[in-house]
Amino acid sequence: MAGVGSRALGDLTFPEVSQRLQATSILCLPIGAIEQHGAHLPLNTDAVVAEEIARRIVATLGDELDLWQLPTISISLSREHDWAPGTLSLSIQSFVALLRDLARDIVRALPARNLAIVNGHGGNRGVLDNLMHELRGDFALNACVIHPFDLSKVDTHATGHDVHGGKSETSVMLALAPHLVRLDNIAPPGAPPDGDAISALIFDRGVSFPWRTDDPRLTATGVIGEAHTASPELGQAIVDSVVAESRGVLRRLLESQRLLSRRP
């Protein structure tokens, strides 16, 4: 019978929603992006990564923690790449409105009250970090955000900053969707970018800048990182680590729900 055994919400019929989901179920929402990733990775890299990692988390931990995968949101906040043909971006206002409307409808339509966002695009992080407070306060939706490349405990042995379309991201795509990687288009090693500029514009915790991937101080190709050193083995190790680390994250999410439910 169709849908039996599936943990994708869209595969269920409407009577099955009430039969199979409950308040302690966790909904996994992949959020990606459509943006340039150099000449060797597709525009939908972040959406592929978010969706496939969410799929593996659900497949591995779904029965243990009652996980359900929601459809992927594929367009998000990508203005730092809007110089490149093909990049699509929402405004902050429309991105927040989309997620707030989705949260409102989750609470209306589903018994589940836990949401784990799998965020494939680093540019979404600041908004998502703040939005989670509204999801809890305005909709009583208990939420967390998984940032796969930061959650992974794998040492990539990168010799420089690995920010966008570089060693880690290319490796994960080689593991998840190798048919989408244009190996012949990976830029050969060249003069390294200005490491001090990358540290100051992207990683300095004392100040925030609206850095862009057409800034010649950061990159000449739209890629910040050593894509030529990527491998499918590294990519698989990163994916496996994210799935393993997600178990503890999702258990903490459920513990937060239990603690909140005890409050008067």
Side-chain angles (χ1 to χ4, degrees):
M1 184 166 53
V4 173
S6 173
R7 285 191 167 272
L9 182 74
D11 287 344
L12 300 180
T13 64
F14 84 85
E16 291 171 338
V17 170
S18 299
Q19 296 165 5
R20 300 185 62 183
L21 273 71
Q22 53 191 333
T24 54
S25 299
I26 301 175
L27 304 171
C28 294
L29 173 65
I31 299 181
I34 300 295
E35 61 186 34
Q36 75 80 25
H37 280 80
H40 67 289
L41 291 179
L43 297 169
N44 67 346
T45 290
D46 293 346
V48 170
V49 170
E51 182 169 308
E52 290 303 316
I53 286 181
R55 192 188 315 278
R56 282 157 176 77
I57 291 171
V58 171
T60 303
L61 304 173
D63 290 343
E64 175 187 342
L65 299 174
D66 196 17
L67 310 182
W68 296 88
Q69 185 158 348
L70 295 174
T72 301
I73 295 175
S74 295
I75 300 175
S76 54
L77 303 175
S78 299
R79 292 295 296 272
E80 68 270 34
H81 306 288
D82 65 5
W83 57 271
T87 295
L88 301 175
S89 183
L90 301 176
S91 68
I92 291 175
Q93 293 87 345
S94 59
F95 181 64
V96 169
L98 171 63
L99 291 178
R100 283 181 56 88
D101 280 352
L102 179 57
R104 181 182 295 109
D105 229 38
I106 284 172
V107 171
R108 179 196 62 80
L110 303 171
R113 291 298 178 266
N114 298 296
L115 178 68
I117 295 171
V118 179
N119 177 40
H121 173 49
N124 297 333
R125 183 167 195 149
V127 172
L128 290 174
D129 284 351
N130 285 279
L131 184 60
M132 283 188 294
H133 295 285
E134 295 191 9
L135 299 186
R136 174 182 288 180
D138 295 348
F139 307 108
L141 193 58
N142 182 43
C144 70
V145 182
I146 292 171
H147 306 282
F149 292 99
D150 292 321
L151 186 63
S152 169
K153 297 299 186 287
V154 173
D155 186 349
T156 65
H157 300 288
T159 59
H161 292 294
D162 193 19
V163 179
H164 183 73
K167 184 174 185 177
S168 295
E169 205 161 21
T170 303
S171 293
V172 168
M173 284 297 285
L174 285 171
L176 297 180
H179 62 289
L180 295 179
V181 181
R182 282 71 161 174
L183 291 171
D184 292 342
N185 291 345
I186 294 178
D194 186 340
D196 290 340
I198 293 175
S199 295
L201 295 174
I202 300 177
F203 292 113
D204 189 340
R205 297 286 293 175
V207 61
S208 297
F209 288 101
W211 62 273
R212 295 173 54 85
T213 51
D214 59 351
D215 186 332
R217 295 169 295 178
L218 306 179
T219 173
T221 63
V223 171
I224 306 174
E226 302 164 324
H228 64 281
T229 63
S231 71
E233 293 78 17
L234 174 61
Q236 190 60 55
I238 291 172
V239 172
D240 290 345
S241 179
V242 173
V243 173
E245 295 296 324
S246 294
R247 176 179 273 109
V249 172
L250 297 173
R251 284 177 173 170
R252 285 192 292 274
L253 183 67
L254 291 174
E255 179 62 21
S256 294
Q257 184 187 34
R258 285 191 288 270
L259 290 173
L260 288 170
S261 67
R262 296 172 189 163
R263 291 183 179 179

Short mmCIF file of all heavy atoms in Angstrom, two decimals, residues 10-76:
data_model
loop_
_atom_site.label_atom_id
_atom_site.label_comp_id
_atom_site.label_asym_id
_atom_site.label_seq_id
_atom_site.Cartn_x
_atom_site.Cartn_y
_atom_site.Cartn_z
N GLY A 10 4.43 14.25 2.61
CA GLY A 10 3.63 14.32 1.40
C GLY A 10 3.17 12.98 0.88
O GLY A 10 2.25 12.92 0.05
N ASP A 11 3.76 11.88 1.36
CA ASP A 11 3.34 10.55 0.93
C ASP A 11 2.12 10.03 1.68
O ASP A 11 1.53 9.02 1.30
CB ASP A 11 4.49 9.54 1.12
CG ASP A 11 5.61 9.73 0.11
OD1 ASP A 11 5.39 10.42 -0.91
OD2 ASP A 11 6.72 9.20 0.35
N LEU A 12 1.75 10.72 2.77
CA LEU A 12 0.62 10.28 3.57
C LEU A 12 -0.70 10.74 2.98
O LEU A 12 -0.77 11.76 2.27
CB LEU A 12 0.74 10.83 5.00
CG LEU A 12 1.98 10.43 5.81
CD1 LEU A 12 1.92 11.08 7.19
CD2 LEU A 12 2.11 8.92 5.91
N THR A 13 -1.76 10.01 3.29
CA THR A 13 -3.11 10.51 3.03
C THR A 13 -3.55 11.31 4.26
O THR A 13 -2.96 11.21 5.33
CB THR A 13 -4.09 9.35 2.82
OG1 THR A 13 -4.17 8.58 4.03
CG2 THR A 13 -3.63 8.46 1.67
N PHE A 14 -4.63 12.09 4.11
CA PHE A 14 -5.00 12.93 5.24
C PHE A 14 -5.45 12.15 6.47
O PHE A 14 -5.13 12.55 7.59
CB PHE A 14 -6.04 14.00 4.82
CG PHE A 14 -7.47 13.56 4.80
CD1 PHE A 14 -8.24 13.58 5.97
CD2 PHE A 14 -8.07 13.14 3.62
CE1 PHE A 14 -9.57 13.18 5.95
CE2 PHE A 14 -9.39 12.74 3.60
CZ PHE A 14 -10.15 12.76 4.76
N PRO A 15 -6.14 10.98 6.35
CA PRO A 15 -6.45 10.26 7.59
C PRO A 15 -5.20 9.72 8.28
O PRO A 15 -5.18 9.57 9.51
CB PRO A 15 -7.36 9.11 7.11
CG PRO A 15 -7.89 9.54 5.78
CD PRO A 15 -6.79 10.34 5.17
N GLU A 16 -4.16 9.41 7.50
CA GLU A 16 -2.94 8.86 8.08
C GLU A 16 -2.18 9.87 8.92
O GLU A 16 -1.42 9.50 9.82
CB GLU A 16 -2.03 8.31 6.98
CG GLU A 16 -2.59 7.07 6.31
CD GLU A 16 -1.81 6.65 5.08
OE1 GLU A 16 -1.11 7.50 4.49
OE2 GLU A 16 -1.92 5.47 4.68
N VAL A 17 -2.39 11.16 8.66
CA VAL A 17 -1.71 12.19 9.45
C VAL A 17 -2.07 12.06 10.92
O VAL A 17 -1.20 12.03 11.80
CB VAL A 17 -2.06 13.60 8.92
CG1 VAL A 17 -1.55 14.67 9.88
CG2 VAL A 17 -1.45 13.81 7.54
N SER A 18 -3.36 11.96 11.21
CA SER A 18 -3.80 11.84 12.60
C SER A 18 -3.44 10.50 13.21
O SER A 18 -3.25 10.38 14.42
CB SER A 18 -5.32 12.05 12.69
OG SER A 18 -5.67 13.33 12.24
N GLN A 19 -3.32 9.47 12.37
CA GLN A 19 -3.00 8.14 12.87
C GLN A 19 -1.51 7.98 13.19
O GLN A 19 -1.14 7.26 14.12
CB GLN A 19 -3.41 7.09 11.83
CG GLN A 19 -4.90 7.02 11.56
CD GLN A 19 -5.21 6.25 10.29
OE1 GLN A 19 -4.32 5.69 9.64
NE2 GLN A 19 -6.49 6.23 9.91
N ARG A 20 -0.64 8.67 12.45
CA ARG A 20 0.80 8.38 12.54
C ARG A 20 1.62 9.48 13.20
O ARG A 20 2.72 9.23 13.68
CB ARG A 20 1.35 8.08 11.14
CG ARG A 20 0.67 6.87 10.50
CD ARG A 20 1.29 6.48 9.19
NE ARG A 20 2.71 6.10 9.34
CZ ARG A 20 3.49 5.78 8.31
NH1 ARG A 20 3.01 5.81 7.08
NH2 ARG A 20 4.75 5.45 8.52
N LEU A 21 1.12 10.72 13.22
CA LEU A 21 1.85 11.81 13.86
C LEU A 21 1.25 12.13 15.20
O LEU A 21 0.05 11.91 15.44
CB LEU A 21 1.84 13.07 12.98
CG LEU A 21 2.95 13.16 11.92
CD1 LEU A 21 2.71 12.16 10.80
CD2 LEU A 21 3.03 14.58 11.35
N GLN A 22 2.07 12.67 16.09
CA GLN A 22 1.61 13.08 17.41
C GLN A 22 2.37 14.34 17.82
O GLN A 22 3.22 14.83 17.08
CB GLN A 22 1.84 11.96 18.42
CG GLN A 22 3.26 11.43 18.46
CD GLN A 22 3.37 10.16 19.28
OE1 GLN A 22 2.58 9.92 20.19
NE2 GLN A 22 4.35 9.33 18.97
N ALA A 23 2.07 14.85 19.01
CA ALA A 23 2.67 16.11 19.44
C ALA A 23 4.18 16.03 19.54
O ALA A 23 4.89 17.02 19.32
CB ALA A 23 2.07 16.54 20.77
N THR A 24 4.71 14.86 19.87
CA THR A 24 6.16 14.71 20.03
C THR A 24 6.88 14.35 18.73
O THR A 24 8.10 14.19 18.72
CB THR A 24 6.46 13.62 21.08
OG1 THR A 24 5.78 12.42 20.72
CG2 THR A 24 6.03 14.08 22.47
N SER A 25 6.15 14.23 17.63
CA SER A 25 6.80 14.00 16.34
C SER A 25 7.67 15.20 15.99
O SER A 25 7.38 16.33 16.38
CB SER A 25 5.75 13.77 15.25
OG SER A 25 4.95 12.64 15.52
N ILE A 26 8.73 14.94 15.24
CA ILE A 26 9.63 16.01 14.79
C ILE A 26 9.52 16.13 13.28
O ILE A 26 9.72 15.16 12.55
CB ILE A 26 11.09 15.72 15.18
CG1 ILE A 26 11.25 15.58 16.69
CG2 ILE A 26 12.02 16.81 14.64
CD1 ILE A 26 12.64 15.18 17.13
N LEU A 27 9.21 17.34 12.82
CA LEU A 27 9.16 17.63 11.40
C LEU A 27 10.52 18.16 10.95
O LEU A 27 11.07 19.08 11.56
CB LEU A 27 8.08 18.69 11.12
CG LEU A 27 6.68 18.34 11.62
CD1 LEU A 27 5.77 19.55 11.49
CD2 LEU A 27 6.11 17.17 10.85
N CYS A 28 11.07 17.57 9.90
CA CYS A 28 12.38 17.99 9.37
C CYS A 28 12.15 18.78 8.09
O CYS A 28 11.61 18.26 7.11
CB CYS A 28 13.26 16.78 9.08
SG CYS A 28 13.71 15.86 10.57
N LEU A 29 12.54 20.04 8.12
CA LEU A 29 12.31 20.95 7.00
C LEU A 29 13.64 21.33 6.35
O LEU A 29 14.41 22.09 6.92
CB LEU A 29 11.59 22.22 7.48
CG LEU A 29 11.44 23.34 6.45
CD1 LEU A 29 10.53 22.89 5.30
CD2 LEU A 29 10.88 24.61 7.13
N PRO A 30 13.94 20.81 5.15
CA PRO A 30 15.15 21.24 4.46
C PRO A 30 14.95 22.63 3.83
O PRO A 30 13.92 22.89 3.19
CB PRO A 30 15.34 20.18 3.37
CG PRO A 30 14.33 19.11 3.64
CD PRO A 30 13.23 19.76 4.41
N ILE A 31 15.92 23.50 4.02
CA ILE A 31 15.92 24.80 3.36
C ILE A 31 17.22 24.93 2.58
O ILE A 31 18.31 24.80 3.15
CB ILE A 31 15.79 25.96 4.36
CG1 ILE A 31 14.47 25.86 5.13
CG2 ILE A 31 15.87 27.30 3.63
CD1 ILE A 31 14.26 27.00 6.13
N GLY A 32 17.12 25.18 1.31
CA GLY A 32 18.29 25.33 0.45
C GLY A 32 18.37 26.71 -0.14
O GLY A 32 17.95 27.71 0.45
N ALA A 33 18.93 26.79 -1.34
CA ALA A 33 19.06 28.06 -2.05
C ALA A 33 19.27 27.75 -3.52
O ALA A 33 19.66 26.63 -3.89
CB ALA A 33 20.23 28.87 -1.49
N ILE A 34 19.02 28.74 -4.35
CA ILE A 34 19.34 28.69 -5.77
C ILE A 34 20.32 29.83 -6.02
O ILE A 34 19.92 31.00 -6.09
CB ILE A 34 18.09 28.83 -6.66
CG1 ILE A 34 17.09 27.70 -6.35
CG2 ILE A 34 18.48 28.82 -8.13
CD1 ILE A 34 17.58 26.31 -6.71
N GLU A 35 21.59 29.49 -6.14
CA GLU A 35 22.63 30.52 -6.23
C GLU A 35 23.89 29.93 -6.85
O GLU A 35 24.09 28.72 -6.86
CB GLU A 35 22.96 31.05 -4.83
CG GLU A 35 23.49 29.97 -3.90
CD GLU A 35 23.70 30.43 -2.47
OE1 GLU A 35 22.92 31.28 -2.00
OE2 GLU A 35 24.64 29.92 -1.83
N GLN A 36 24.74 30.83 -7.36
CA GLN A 36 25.98 30.37 -7.98
C GLN A 36 26.87 29.64 -6.99
O GLN A 36 26.97 30.01 -5.81
CB GLN A 36 26.72 31.56 -8.60
CG GLN A 36 27.43 32.50 -7.65
CD GLN A 36 28.79 32.00 -7.17
OE1 GLN A 36 29.46 31.20 -7.83
NE2 GLN A 36 29.21 32.48 -6.01
N HIS A 37 27.51 28.59 -7.47
CA HIS A 37 28.51 27.85 -6.69
C HIS A 37 29.74 27.60 -7.55
O HIS A 37 30.30 26.50 -7.56
CB HIS A 37 27.94 26.52 -6.19
CG HIS A 37 27.09 26.62 -4.98
ND1 HIS A 37 25.77 27.03 -5.03
CD2 HIS A 37 27.35 26.41 -3.67
CE1 HIS A 37 25.26 27.04 -3.80
NE2 HIS A 37 26.20 26.66 -2.96
N GLY A 38 30.15 28.64 -8.28
CA GLY A 38 31.25 28.47 -9.20
C GLY A 38 30.80 27.77 -10.47
O GLY A 38 29.61 27.50 -10.68
N ALA A 39 31.77 27.45 -11.32
CA ALA A 39 31.45 26.83 -12.61
C ALA A 39 31.29 25.32 -12.50
O ALA A 39 30.89 24.67 -13.47
CB ALA A 39 32.56 27.15 -13.62
N HIS A 40 31.56 24.73 -11.32
CA HIS A 40 31.57 23.27 -11.22
C HIS A 40 30.40 22.69 -10.44
O HIS A 40 30.16 21.49 -10.50
CB HIS A 40 32.88 22.79 -10.58
CG HIS A 40 33.04 23.19 -9.14
ND1 HIS A 40 33.27 24.49 -8.76
CD2 HIS A 40 33.00 22.46 -7.99
CE1 HIS A 40 33.38 24.54 -7.44
NE2 HIS A 40 33.21 23.33 -6.96
N LEU A 41 29.68 23.53 -9.70
CA LEU A 41 28.54 23.03 -8.93
C LEU A 41 27.26 23.70 -9.41
O LEU A 41 27.27 24.87 -9.80
CB LEU A 41 28.73 23.31 -7.43
CG LEU A 41 29.83 22.53 -6.72
CD1 LEU A 41 29.90 22.94 -5.25
CD2 LEU A 41 29.60 21.02 -6.83
N PRO A 42 26.13 23.00 -9.34
CA PRO A 42 24.88 23.56 -9.84
C PRO A 42 24.29 24.62 -8.91
O PRO A 42 24.65 24.71 -7.73
CB PRO A 42 23.96 22.34 -9.91
CG PRO A 42 24.47 21.43 -8.84
CD PRO A 42 25.96 21.62 -8.85
N LEU A 43 23.37 25.39 -9.47
CA LEU A 43 22.71 26.43 -8.69
C LEU A 43 21.97 25.85 -7.49
O LEU A 43 21.85 26.52 -6.45
CB LEU A 43 21.71 27.19 -9.57
CG LEU A 43 22.27 27.97 -10.76
CD1 LEU A 43 21.14 28.43 -11.67
CD2 LEU A 43 23.10 29.16 -10.29
N ASN A 44 21.46 24.64 -7.60
CA ASN A 44 20.64 24.06 -6.53
C ASN A 44 21.46 23.26 -5.52
O ASN A 44 20.90 22.45 -4.77
CB ASN A 44 19.54 23.18 -7.11
CG ASN A 44 20.06 21.94 -7.80
OD1 ASN A 44 21.26 21.83 -8.09
ND2 ASN A 44 19.18 20.99 -8.08
N THR A 45 22.76 23.50 -5.44
CA THR A 45 23.63 22.75 -4.52
C THR A 45 23.09 22.74 -3.10
O THR A 45 22.98 21.69 -2.46
CB THR A 45 25.06 23.33 -4.54
OG1 THR A 45 25.66 23.02 -5.80
CG2 THR A 45 25.91 22.76 -3.43
N ASP A 46 22.75 23.91 -2.57
CA ASP A 46 22.30 23.99 -1.17
C ASP A 46 20.98 23.25 -0.96
O ASP A 46 20.76 22.66 0.11
CB ASP A 46 22.14 25.45 -0.74
CG ASP A 46 23.47 26.18 -0.68
OD1 ASP A 46 24.52 25.51 -0.70
OD2 ASP A 46 23.47 27.42 -0.62
N ALA A 47 20.11 23.27 -1.96
CA ALA A 47 18.84 22.54 -1.85
C ALA A 47 19.08 21.04 -1.89
O ALA A 47 18.47 20.28 -1.12
CB ALA A 47 17.89 22.95 -2.97
N VAL A 48 19.98 20.59 -2.77
CA VAL A 48 20.31 19.16 -2.83
C VAL A 48 20.90 18.70 -1.50
O VAL A 48 20.51 17.66 -0.95
CB VAL A 48 21.30 18.89 -3.98
CG1 VAL A 48 21.85 17.46 -3.90
CG2 VAL A 48 20.63 19.12 -5.33
N VAL A 49 21.86 19.46 -0.97
CA VAL A 49 22.51 19.08 0.28
C VAL A 49 21.50 19.03 1.42
O VAL A 49 21.46 18.05 2.19
CB VAL A 49 23.66 20.05 0.61
CG1 VAL A 49 24.19 19.82 2.01
CG2 VAL A 49 24.79 19.90 -0.42
N ALA A 50 20.68 20.07 1.56
CA ALA A 50 19.71 20.10 2.66
C ALA A 50 18.72 18.95 2.56
O ALA A 50 18.42 18.26 3.55
CB ALA A 50 18.98 21.44 2.67
N GLU A 51 18.19 18.72 1.36
CA GLU A 51 17.17 17.68 1.19
C GLU A 51 17.74 16.29 1.40
O GLU A 51 17.13 15.44 2.08
CB GLU A 51 16.54 17.79 -0.20
CG GLU A 51 15.43 16.78 -0.44
CD GLU A 51 14.65 17.07 -1.71
OE1 GLU A 51 14.20 18.22 -1.88
OE2 GLU A 51 14.51 16.14 -2.52
N GLU A 52 18.91 16.04 0.85
CA GLU A 52 19.48 14.69 0.94
C GLU A 52 19.98 14.39 2.36
O GLU A 52 19.85 13.26 2.84
CB GLU A 52 20.61 14.53 -0.07
CG GLU A 52 20.12 14.48 -1.51
CD GLU A 52 19.11 13.37 -1.74
OE1 GLU A 52 19.33 12.24 -1.24
OE2 GLU A 52 18.08 13.63 -2.38
N ILE A 53 20.55 15.38 3.04
CA ILE A 53 20.96 15.14 4.42
C ILE A 53 19.73 14.94 5.30
O ILE A 53 19.71 14.06 6.17
CB ILE A 53 21.85 16.29 4.93
CG1 ILE A 53 23.23 16.18 4.29
CG2 ILE A 53 21.96 16.27 6.46
CD1 ILE A 53 24.22 17.23 4.72
N ALA A 54 18.69 15.74 5.09
CA ALA A 54 17.44 15.52 5.85
C ALA A 54 16.90 14.13 5.59
O ALA A 54 16.43 13.44 6.52
CB ALA A 54 16.42 16.58 5.47
N ARG A 55 16.96 13.68 4.34
CA ARG A 55 16.46 12.35 4.00
C ARG A 55 17.22 11.27 4.76
O ARG A 55 16.64 10.30 5.27
CB ARG A 55 16.58 12.12 2.50
CG ARG A 55 15.81 10.90 2.00
CD ARG A 55 16.11 10.60 0.55
NE ARG A 55 16.09 11.76 -0.30
CZ ARG A 55 15.00 12.32 -0.81
NH1 ARG A 55 13.81 11.81 -0.50
NH2 ARG A 55 15.08 13.38 -1.59
N ARG A 56 18.53 11.44 4.87
CA ARG A 56 19.36 10.45 5.56
C ARG A 56 19.13 10.50 7.08
O ARG A 56 19.15 9.46 7.74
CB ARG A 56 20.82 10.65 5.21
CG ARG A 56 21.16 10.09 3.83
CD ARG A 56 22.39 10.75 3.21
NE ARG A 56 22.73 10.11 1.94
CZ ARG A 56 22.08 10.31 0.79
NH1 ARG A 56 21.04 11.14 0.75
NH2 ARG A 56 22.46 9.71 -0.32
N ILE A 57 18.93 11.69 7.61
CA ILE A 57 18.60 11.80 9.03
C ILE A 57 17.29 11.08 9.33
O ILE A 57 17.18 10.31 10.29
CB ILE A 57 18.54 13.28 9.46
CG1 ILE A 57 19.93 13.92 9.42
CG2 ILE A 57 17.93 13.42 10.86
CD1 ILE A 57 19.92 15.43 9.62
N VAL A 58 16.30 11.32 8.49
CA VAL A 58 14.98 10.70 8.70
C VAL A 58 15.07 9.18 8.52
O VAL A 58 14.48 8.41 9.29
CB VAL A 58 13.94 11.33 7.76
CG1 VAL A 58 12.63 10.54 7.81
CG2 VAL A 58 13.69 12.79 8.14
N ALA A 59 15.82 8.75 7.50
CA ALA A 59 15.94 7.31 7.25
C ALA A 59 16.64 6.60 8.40
O ALA A 59 16.29 5.47 8.76
CB ALA A 59 16.69 7.07 5.94
N THR A 60 17.63 7.26 9.01
CA THR A 60 18.42 6.63 10.06
C THR A 60 17.74 6.71 11.42
O THR A 60 17.77 5.76 12.20
CB THR A 60 19.81 7.29 10.14
OG1 THR A 60 20.44 7.18 8.86
CG2 THR A 60 20.67 6.61 11.19
N LEU A 61 17.15 7.86 11.71
CA LEU A 61 16.63 8.12 13.06
C LEU A 61 15.11 8.22 13.12
O LEU A 61 14.55 8.44 14.19
CB LEU A 61 17.23 9.44 13.59
CG LEU A 61 18.76 9.52 13.61
CD1 LEU A 61 19.21 10.93 13.97
CD2 LEU A 61 19.34 8.50 14.57
N GLY A 62 14.46 8.07 12.00
CA GLY A 62 13.02 8.30 11.93
C GLY A 62 12.20 7.46 12.88
O GLY A 62 11.33 7.97 13.60
N ASP A 63 12.44 6.16 12.90
CA ASP A 63 11.67 5.27 13.77
C ASP A 63 12.01 5.51 15.24
O ASP A 63 11.13 5.45 16.12
CB ASP A 63 11.93 3.82 13.42
CG ASP A 63 11.33 3.43 12.07
OD1 ASP A 63 10.46 4.17 11.58
OD2 ASP A 63 11.74 2.40 11.52
N GLU A 64 13.27 5.80 15.53
CA GLU A 64 13.71 6.02 16.90
C GLU A 64 13.13 7.29 17.50
O GLU A 64 12.70 7.31 18.66
CB GLU A 64 15.23 6.07 16.94
CG GLU A 64 15.83 6.41 18.30
CD GLU A 64 17.33 6.60 18.25
OE1 GLU A 64 17.97 6.14 17.27
OE2 GLU A 64 17.88 7.21 19.19
N LEU A 65 13.11 8.37 16.70
CA LEU A 65 12.73 9.69 17.23
C LEU A 65 11.45 10.24 16.60
O LEU A 65 11.09 11.38 16.89
CB LEU A 65 13.89 10.67 17.01
CG LEU A 65 15.20 10.30 17.71
CD1 LEU A 65 16.32 11.26 17.30
CD2 LEU A 65 15.02 10.33 19.22
N ASP A 66 10.79 9.45 15.77
CA ASP A 66 9.53 9.84 15.13
C ASP A 66 9.72 11.10 14.28
O ASP A 66 9.12 12.15 14.54
CB ASP A 66 8.43 10.05 16.17
CG ASP A 66 7.04 10.08 15.54
OD1 ASP A 66 6.90 9.63 14.38
OD2 ASP A 66 6.10 10.56 16.20
N LEU A 67 10.53 10.96 13.25
CA LEU A 67 10.84 12.07 12.35
C LEU A 67 10.01 11.99 11.08
O LEU A 67 9.73 10.91 10.57
CB LEU A 67 12.32 12.05 11.96
CG LEU A 67 13.35 11.93 13.08
CD1 LEU A 67 14.76 11.97 12.49
CD2 LEU A 67 13.17 13.03 14.10
N TRP A 68 9.67 13.18 10.56
CA TRP A 68 8.89 13.27 9.32
C TRP A 68 9.49 14.37 8.45
O TRP A 68 9.75 15.46 8.93
CB TRP A 68 7.42 13.57 9.63
CG TRP A 68 6.80 12.45 10.39
CD1 TRP A 68 6.78 12.28 11.74
CD2 TRP A 68 6.16 11.30 9.82
NE1 TRP A 68 6.16 11.10 12.07
CE2 TRP A 68 5.76 10.48 10.91
CE3 TRP A 68 5.89 10.89 8.53
CZ2 TRP A 68 5.10 9.27 10.71
CZ3 TRP A 68 5.23 9.69 8.34
CH2 TRP A 68 4.83 8.89 9.42
N GLN A 69 9.70 14.07 7.16
CA GLN A 69 10.33 15.04 6.27
C GLN A 69 9.28 15.87 5.54
O GLN A 69 8.37 15.34 4.91
CB GLN A 69 11.23 14.33 5.25
CG GLN A 69 12.00 15.31 4.37
CD GLN A 69 13.24 14.69 3.75
OE1 GLN A 69 13.66 13.61 4.13
NE2 GLN A 69 13.83 15.38 2.80
N LEU A 70 9.45 17.19 5.64
CA LEU A 70 8.60 18.13 4.92
C LEU A 70 9.20 18.42 3.55
O LEU A 70 10.41 18.23 3.32
CB LEU A 70 8.49 19.44 5.71
CG LEU A 70 7.78 19.37 7.06
CD1 LEU A 70 7.89 20.71 7.78
CD2 LEU A 70 6.33 18.98 6.89
N PRO A 71 8.40 18.93 2.62
CA PRO A 71 8.94 19.34 1.32
C PRO A 71 10.00 20.44 1.48
O PRO A 71 9.92 21.26 2.40
CB PRO A 71 7.71 19.85 0.57
CG PRO A 71 6.55 19.20 1.24
CD PRO A 71 6.93 19.08 2.68
N THR A 72 10.95 20.45 0.58
CA THR A 72 12.08 21.39 0.66
C THR A 72 11.68 22.79 0.22
O THR A 72 10.97 22.97 -0.78
CB THR A 72 13.22 20.88 -0.24
OG1 THR A 72 13.61 19.59 0.20
CG2 THR A 72 14.42 21.81 -0.20
N ILE A 73 12.15 23.78 0.97
CA ILE A 73 12.10 25.17 0.53
C ILE A 73 13.42 25.44 -0.21
O ILE A 73 14.49 25.38 0.40
CB ILE A 73 11.94 26.15 1.70
CG1 ILE A 73 10.59 25.93 2.38
CG2 ILE A 73 12.09 27.60 1.25
CD1 ILE A 73 10.38 26.76 3.64
N SER A 74 13.35 25.72 -1.49
CA SER A 74 14.56 25.75 -2.32
C SER A 74 15.12 27.14 -2.59
O SER A 74 16.24 27.26 -3.09
CB SER A 74 14.29 25.06 -3.66
OG SER A 74 14.04 23.69 -3.46
N ILE A 75 14.38 28.18 -2.27
CA ILE A 75 14.86 29.55 -2.50
C ILE A 75 14.84 30.29 -1.17
O ILE A 75 13.84 30.25 -0.45
CB ILE A 75 13.99 30.28 -3.54
CG1 ILE A 75 14.02 29.53 -4.88
CG2 ILE A 75 14.47 31.72 -3.75
CD1 ILE A 75 13.10 30.11 -5.93
N SER A 76 15.94 30.97 -0.86
CA SER A 76 16.02 31.64 0.44
C SER A 76 16.76 32.97 0.28
O SER A 76 16.39 33.77 -0.59
CB SER A 76 16.67 30.73 1.48
OG SER A 76 17.93 30.25 1.06
#
